Amino acid sequence: KVGQKVEASVTKITSYGVVVSVDGIEGLIKSDGAAKLKVGDTTTAYVASVDDASRRLNLSLEAAEAE
């Protein structure tokens, strides 16, 4: 669910961001802010968007500000 806090395990580092696994679902943390992470690290992330068709998540290391 968007805004939800999740534990994410880093599986791969790419030029566009960090690929993570969240309960068996692949997610992406965009490269801005994820530079300090390494493969094997676990981090707390927040769900920014969900793509149900491809079972992928876009994540952020910072919680979205309440509007």
Side-chain angles (χ1 to χ4, degrees), residues 1-61:
K1 176 168 151 178
V2 174
Q4 181 177 353
K5 183 169 138 178
V6 296
E7 288 298 313
S9 300
V10 177
T11 59
K12 183 169 43 171
I13 308 292
T14 68
S15 60
Y16 52 85
V18 175
V19 179
V20 297
S21 176
V22 177
D23 295 330
I25 299 172
E26 187 173 80
L28 176 70
I29 301 173
K30 300 235 173 147
S31 57
D32 55 324
K36 64 183 180 240
L37 296 174
K38 305 179 300 265
V39 172
D41 284 354
T42 300
T43 188
T44 299
Y46 299 87
V47 178
S49 67
V50 177
D51 182 345
D52 288 325
S54 63
R55 291 184 43 92
R56 292 192 180 178
L57 302 171
N58 285 314
L59 303 163
S60 172
L61 293 178

